Amino acid sequence: MKNPLSFDGFIQIAIVVQDIQKAAETWARFFNIPVPEIRYRPPAPNPDLTYRGKPAEYGLKLANIEAGPFVIELHEPDERDSTFREFLDKHGNGVHHLGFQVGKKRDAIVGELEEMGYAMRTIGYYPGSSWTIVDSEDDLGVNLNIKPRA
Amino acid sequence: MKNPLSFDGFIQIAIVVQDIQKAAETWARFFNIPVPEIRYRPPAPNPDLTYRGKPAEYGLKLANIEAGPFVIELHEPDERDSTFREFLDKHGNGVHHLGFQVGKKRDAIVGELEEMGYAMRTIGYYPGSSWTIVDSEDDLGVNLNIKPRA
């Protein structure tokens, strides 16, 4: 790629689970840390969020675990269509994506990946940054999240 | 836990794939790095390797990608019984485990996890270190590898 990814940009391990309460408590127990707060984002219309090219509207429970230079993000999706629900139905619990911060190269990288034939499973814009899930699990063994900023 | 894990010990993301050649080439392409060498370890009797408590004898293709402070390990198992074959049959391609270096606390940590009811899917000893795969995917969303030394 003309605009390759860099391991220096590694920021995130995102995990999908069927039971986020149990996962949060078990991570806390294993690492002797406080049980991370579980937030709930109810489904809501969002013009800045797509799943496989269509508007996405799904509920999600989330918890973040600060792990030094990176973050472990736990996700428990509801039954509505989302990249997380797709993963859980196909694979069960597991690592949904590895996240990389790429700065201003985000558009160039996503463009190159699309030219190579990779689908963007989810694109979400929010104030200050965005997230883009590259459907790379068949080739890399894991999906990627391309972010301009953490 | 009395002997908790630490994120400071994070050293490894281990991925299982059906096609390690394709995975190695795709990682290299995305990150603009040389295609990592693929090694093949043929099945051989090994008294220092167990899978779910029984002697393990399986073939494995392996490739390591140096990713700064950690290593991405690609694994393509053969059809014989192994923790990697089990994962591939159950989940398809995916992150099999996250590896942590724990120093001299290895035995205490493994003992505590066994007391909590977690099974050790694989234990392997080799000169200078060992690896122990904790079957934690149902609770954490991913398995762990507990290593005294990287």
Side-chain angles (χ1 to χ4, degrees):
Chain A
M1 286 173 60
K2 291 177 190 170
N3 296 281
L5 291 156
S6 166
F7 291 114
D8 292 338
F10 174 68
I11 50 170
Q12 184 185 49
I13 298 175
I15 297 176
V16 177
V17 290
Q18 293 187 351
D19 184 342
I20 197 171
Q21 184 67 42
K22 186 195 238 182
E25 289 172 2
T26 308
W27 279 98
R29 190 174 183 192
F30 279 24
F31 287 82
N32 196 24
I33 56 174
V35 177
E37 180 195 2
I38 296 168
R39 294 117 58 205
Y40 176 59
R41 290 193 194 151
N46 181 350
D48 295 321
L49 182 65
T50 55
Y51 165 59
R52 293 203 178 276
K54 296 180 182 173
E57 187 176 339
Y58 56 87
L60 189 66
K61 291 180 184 172
L62 283 162
N64 280 9
I65 299 168
E66 300 293 332
F70 63 95
V71 174
I72 293 173
E73 286 193 359
L74 305 177
H75 303 76
E76 182 192 311
D78 69 6
E79 293 298 327
R80 297 170 186 231
D81 287 346
S82 72
T83 184
F84 303 112
R85 169 50 53 190
E86 176 184 335
F87 185 97
L88 199 54
D89 287 348
K90 184 172 181 184
H91 301 292
N93 282 3
V95 175
H96 176 271
H97 65 257
L98 304 179
F100 292 87
Q101 182 175 304
V102 300
K104 294 179 179 176
K105 295 195 299 177
R106 183 268 173 200
D107 293 354
I109 290 171
V110 171
E112 282 195 67
L113 292 169
E114 285 180 330
E115 278 182 23
M116 286 184 212
Y118 290 98
M120 302 302 122
R121 282 166 73 137
T122 283
I123 301 177
Y125 295 96
Y126 56 91
S129 192
S130 65
W131 57 296
T132 300
I133 300 296
V134 185
D135 189 347
S136 54
E137 61 188 48
D138 287 348
D139 290 356
L140 295 180
V142 69
N143 301 309
L144 302 181
N145 182 10
I146 309 296
K147 299 187 75 172
R149 279 188 272 177
Chain B
M1 287 174 61
K2 292 177 188 170
N3 295 281
L5 292 156
S6 166
F7 291 113
D8 292 339
F10 174 69
I11 51 170
Q12 185 185 50
I13 298 175
I15 296 176
V16 177
V17 290
Q18 293 188 351
D19 183 344
I20 197 171
Q21 185 68 40
K22 185 195 240 184
E25 289 172 2
T26 308
W27 278 99
R29 190 173 184 194
F30 280 24
F31 286 82
N32 196 25
I33 55 174
V35 177
E37 180 195 3
I38 296 168
R39 294 118 56 207
Y40 176 60
R41 290 192 196 154
N46 182 351
D48 294 322
L49 182 65
T50 55
Y51 165 59
R52 293 204 177 275
K54 296 179 181 173
E57 187 176 339
Y58 55 88
L60 189 67
K61 292 180 184 171
L62 282 162
N64 280 8
I65 300 168
E66 300 293 331
F70 62 97
V71 175
I72 293 172
E73 285 193 359
L74 305 178
H75 303 76
E76 182 191 310
D78 70 4
E79 293 297 326
R80 296 169 186 234
D81 287 344
S82 72
T83 184
F84 303 113
R85 170 49 54 192
E86 176 184 335
F87 185 97
L88 199 54
D89 288 347
K90 184 173 180 183
H91 301 292
N93 281 3
V95 176
H96 175 272
H97 66 256
L98 304 179
F100 291 87
Q101 182 174 305
V102 301
K104 293 179 179 175
K105 295 195 299 177
R106 183 267 175 202
D107 292 355
I109 289 171
V110 171
E112 282 195 67
L113 291 170
E114 285 180 328
E115 278 183 24
M116 286 185 215
Y118 291 98
M120 302 301 122
R121 282 166 73 138
T122 282
I123 301 177
Y125 295 95
Y126 55 91
S129 193
S130 65
W131 57 297
T132 301
I133 301 296
V134 185
D135 188 346
S136 54
E137 61 189 47
D138 288 347
D139 290 355
L140 295 181
V142 68
N143 301 309
L144 302 181
N145 182 10
I146 309 295
K147 298 188 75 172
R149 278 188 273 177

